[in-house]
Amino acid sequence: MGRLRNLAQTFRDFATNHVEEPDVPAAPDGADGYAKSTKIALLLLKEEINKPLRKLEDYLNEMPGILDVFDLEKSPDYSSFSVWDGEFPMQELRRLLRQSAEQAGLSGTASIDASGFQRDQASSHYRNRVGYSFNAMKTTLLVDTESLAIIDAHFTTKKAYDGHIGLQVFRRNAEDLQALLADKMYSWSDLREACRDASTRPVIKHCEQNALKKAHNARIDDDVYNQRSMSETVFAMLKDDGDEIRSRSWHGQFRELTRKCIVHNLAQAAS
């Protein structure tokens, strides 16, 4: 309980610093409305608790100490969380993700890697209607190797070449990176050239198609390259309570995973 209460306070402070009017009461319109900062903080708390919405409302009502952190007497209705989810677009969530990463700390060395989150919550009818290609959401994370903060995230429901995703993620964060670590799945000449143009050292394994590529790999500093495993560590931390996504729509799943990344960063910053 103590850890959850501390995290709840961290979420509230973080959300309060993000909004333009931080002094607005938690529920200025009574039970019919909540402040923007309260909505953000409670959505982050929802990801930390990781329970179905109907159970989440009962769970919070059994913890008055947590509600006190948000100056609330009772939990919002479970349906409110679903409404709030659509109020914060990915653009704003990405800003929150960036702020949370900076709060955790950035060293300039980052690792990029991908993994999958199960997305079987949606019905088969919905999956057929919107054209789901895979049962897993391919998630690519850019992770600071020192603080384990998630600097950026990319999500896709389709087949995509890791090199193309890596280039897109790198370009969004190039000014903050002195070194980019990646395995051979990101071995693409365009990505390497983009790194060099931005004065970033590409520590990326080559596909060993010939002796020259093997020689390039042999010159890579193992102590630096082995820090790439920090991405795998972060994925393991995100999947500690399972790798299933609760949201049914693909855009809801993007937002859910981004919030999980923000929660991870704030937990790292508080540790």
Side-chain angles (χ1 to χ4, degrees):
M1 179 68 74
R3 176 185 177 277
L4 186 59
R5 185 186 178 98
N6 291 338
L7 274 178
Q9 186 64 57
T10 299
F11 297 156
R12 180 178 181 178
D13 294 343
F14 176 74
T16 300
N17 292 332
H18 174 73
V19 300
E20 295 180 356
E21 298 179 353
D23 297 327
V24 174
D29 299 323
D32 297 326
Y34 294 85
K36 181 178 180 180
S37 59
T38 302
K39 295 177 182 179
I40 294 173
L42 286 174
L43 284 172
L44 295 178
L45 182 65
K46 175 177 77 74
E47 302 302 341
E48 171 64 23
I49 295 175
N50 193 29
K51 289 185 178 294
L53 289 182
R54 292 178 184 271
K55 293 183 179 180
L56 176 65
E57 181 181 352
D58 293 336
Y59 188 81
L60 289 176
N61 283 328
E62 293 296 325
M63 297 190 297
I66 301 298
L67 293 176
D68 286 345
V69 172
F70 302 101
D71 296 327
L72 298 175
E73 295 182 358
K74 65 177 183 178
S75 169
D77 185 82
Y78 72 89
S79 61
S80 298
F81 288 93
S82 295
V83 175
W84 298 346
D85 179 62
E87 293 183 9
F88 300 99
M90 277 298 298
Q91 185 177 7
E92 183 165 8
L93 289 176
R94 286 194 180 280
R95 289 199 298 269
L96 287 168
L97 177 61
R98 178 66 187 188
Q99 291 172 14
S100 67
E102 292 174 351
Q103 189 166 318
L106 302 179
S107 66
T109 300
S111 170
I112 189 169
D113 204 356
S115 185
F117 285 81
Q118 298 304 312
R119 51 204 298 261
D120 295 332
Q121 292 288 331
S123 67
S124 59
H125 171 74
Y126 178 82
R127 294 201 300 269
N128 292 334
R129 181 163 59 86
V130 300
Y132 270 17
S133 297
F134 303 99
N135 289 331
M137 173 77 71
K138 183 175 181 178
T139 303
T140 303
L141 300 181
L142 182 67
V143 175
D144 187 274
T145 58
E146 184 173 318
S147 67
L148 300 186
I150 300 172
I151 304 171
D152 201 353
H154 179 283
F155 313 105
T156 181
T157 63
K158 307 293 184 181
K159 278 188 175 181
Y161 173 46
D162 287 330
H164 294 165
I165 296 174
L167 181 59
Q168 180 179 342
V169 172
F170 171 75
R171 283 174 172 168
R172 288 202 296 254
N173 303 276
E175 62 182 16
D176 299 310
L177 299 178
Q178 281 85 55
L180 178 67
L181 284 54
D183 61 22
K184 63 182 180 180
M185 300 302 293
Y186 297 87
S187 180
W188 188 34
S189 59
D190 287 13
L191 175 56
R192 296 178 191 277
E193 291 175 7
C195 288
R196 297 187 182 100
D197 290 343
S199 300
T200 300
R201 179 188 176 193
V203 186
I204 304 172
K205 285 280 189 179
H206 291 265
C207 295
E208 297 187 346
Q209 300 167 332
N210 51 52
L212 180 59
K213 301 297 185 183
K214 291 181 180 180
H216 283 312
N217 286 344
R219 291 202 302 268
I220 291 178
D221 188 332
D222 287 339
D223 290 337
V224 175
Y225 180 75
N226 288 340
Q227 296 179 47
R228 189 191 62 81
S229 63
M230 294 298 100
S231 293
E232 299 171 2
T233 300
V234 170
F235 273 117
M237 296 167 73
L238 288 178
K239 296 181 179 184
D240 187 49
D241 293 326
D243 63 351
E244 290 187 353
I245 310 172
R246 296 191 182 278
S247 300
R248 294 179 179 272
S249 63
W250 62 266
H251 44 84
Q253 292 167 358
F254 285 10
R255 293 194 294 266
E256 177 183 345
L257 286 171
T258 304
R259 290 194 300 269
K260 286 183 181 294
C261 293
I262 296 170
V263 169
H264 166 84
N265 286 350
L266 295 178
Q268 289 300 114
S271 63

